[in-house]
């Protein structure tokens, strides 16, 4: 019901209602749960409707933009998080879907990790070069299209296998839609949600000391 209200506010471009619904959900469930239970299913439903020809791509685009703005406003309200913990490289691999990366960046920062945001649309060679030059201990990659996911093996190879190579953590819609995809691609750390990003960061890098 609430997801439907959020979805219809997005499609009617009612930014105020979008912001209010998000704030209400946040007050009830906390930031991460509000995002997972409202933004993710609403955008997923919008994607399905577009696929079935009931929505135009422009409506999908505008819904994404409005979510980005609403989330940015919420994040800024808390003040920019100051992080001093381990560094994590983060990027959207090959495609241009940025909403998931923003959410992952925000929860990692809020948990004390320093995020090096490499942007979006990066190919395997470019991304590996950036991560290796920065010597990040972990590289998180958001992937929204199956076609992009199919190139992750190239990224894995370009990162190399020496002990200095960053731990590769991937996430995004193709892995949520097909839970076996990560295994098929030979990837070890595959996340389905922003909470999984924190889970892997803690597992491999430890919990940052509070400041
Ligand atoms: C919004 C959207 C767009 C917007 C993007 C706007 C933006 N600024 O991001 C626009 C309109 C630009 C767009 C364009 C296109 N899109 Co699009 N898009 C979507 C849509 C509807 C929602 C994506 C989204 O924002 N979801 C909300 C976020 C919060 O969820 P999320 O990214 O999954 O992230 C969550 C988790 O996955 C996880 N996570 C994400 N990353 C990571 C990383 C790590 C390390 C971890 C641990 C976790 C994690 O945490 C997040 C919070 O839970 C999806 C549908 C869907 N089911 O995902 C289609 C979808 C991804 N798009 C699709 C397509 C086909 C396209 C286009 C090719 C359309 C076209 N003909 O031009 C283009 C391609 C553009 C490009 N080159 O990248 C298809 C892909 C199909 C496929 N087989 O791969 C989808 C699945 C729609 C569909 N059902 O067909 N799109």
């Amino acid at each position: 019901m609430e997801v439907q209200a959020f979805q219809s506010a997005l499609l009617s471009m009612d930014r105020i209602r979008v912001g209010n619904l998000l704030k209400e959900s946040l007050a009830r469930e906390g930031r991460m749960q509000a995002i997972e239970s409202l933004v993710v299913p609403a955008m997923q439903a919008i994607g399905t409707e577009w696929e079935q020809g009931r929505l135009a791509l422009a409506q999908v685009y505008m819904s994404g933009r409005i979510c980005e703005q609403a989330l940015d406003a919420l994040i800024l309200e808390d003040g920019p998080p100051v992080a001093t913990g381990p560094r994590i490289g983060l990027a959207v691999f090959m495609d241009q879907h940025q909403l998931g990366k923003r959410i992952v960046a925000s929860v990692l920062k809020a948990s004390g990790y320093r995020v090096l945001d490499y942007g979006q649309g990066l190919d395997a060679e470019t991304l590996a070069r950036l991560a290796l030059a920065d010597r990040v201990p972990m590289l998180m990659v958001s992937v929204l299209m199956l076609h992009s996911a199919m190139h992750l093996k190239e990224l894995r190879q370009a990162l190399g296998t020496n002990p200095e190579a960053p731990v590769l953590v991937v996430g995004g819609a193709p892995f949520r839609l097909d839970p076996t995809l990560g295994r098929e691609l030979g990837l070890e750390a595959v996340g389905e949600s922003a909470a999984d990003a924190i889970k892997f960061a803690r597992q491999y890098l430890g919990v940052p000391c509070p400041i």
Side-chain angles (χ1 to χ4, degrees):
M1 198 65 187
E2 213 194 352
V3 175
Q4 266 172 10
F6 190 73
Q7 190 181 332
S8 93
L10 283 174
L11 291 173
S12 46
M13 294 204 275
D14 186 344
R15 288 181 167 79
I16 295 172
R17 184 145 172 72
V18 166
N20 286 342
L21 286 168
L22 205 49
K23 273 186 193 157
E24 282 165 25
S25 174
L26 191 118
R28 261 196 330 270
E29 310 177 85
R31 176 188 296 177
M32 193 134 61
Q33 200 42 43
I35 291 170
E36 299 294 356
S37 64
L38 216 52
V39 178
V40 176
M43 289 306 296
Q44 220 165 323
I46 286 173
T48 306
E49 290 208 27
W50 167 71
E51 208 181 359
Q52 292 168 353
R54 290 200 293 267
L55 289 176
L57 191 58
Q59 289 174 290
V60 181
Y61 175 77
M62 281 315 295
S63 302
R65 290 289 301 154
I66 294 168
C67 281
E68 282 179 19
Q69 287 157 1
L71 290 170
D72 282 353
L74 279 188
I75 293 159
L76 287 175
E77 250 176 34
D78 290 351
V82 185
T84 56
R87 292 171 313 139
I88 297 177
L90 176 65
V92 179
F93 184 56
M94 300 195 63
D95 55 76
Q96 301 291 334
H97 297 84
Q98 298 167 53
L99 203 49
K101 172 172 75 70
R102 275 180 190 232
I103 294 169
V104 169
S106 147
V107 299
L108 285 174
K109 285 182 198 163
S111 303
Y113 297 93
R114 281 177 288 169
V115 174
L116 274 69
D117 190 337
Y118 295 130
Q120 64 282 340
L122 284 90
D123 62 30
E125 213 178 298
T126 311
L127 183 52
R129 190 163 13 89
L130 289 169
L132 292 171
D134 286 332
R135 301 169 76 93
V136 287
M138 176 169 275
L139 177 62
M140 289 206 178
V141 168
S142 186
V143 178
L144 262 289
M145 296 183 59
L146 188 58
H147 172 263
S148 311
M150 291 307 177
H151 288 273
L152 280 167
K153 272 186 183 171
E154 292 157 30
L155 176 62
R156 179 63 282 165
Q157 264 170 9
L159 287 171
T161 49
N162 71 53
E164 300 277 285
V167 176
L168 178 63
V169 181
V170 306
F175 300 100
R176 279 209 322 257
L177 296 174
D178 178 1
T180 66
L181 182 62
R183 216 174 316 126
E184 279 167 30
L185 296 173
L187 301 162
E188 285 153 32
V190 179
E192 288 188 8
S193 65
D196 285 345
I198 299 175
K199 183 189 84 180
F200 285 120
R202 289 185 176 153
Q203 183 181 328
Y204 288 97
L205 307 175
V207 180
C209 297
I211 37 167

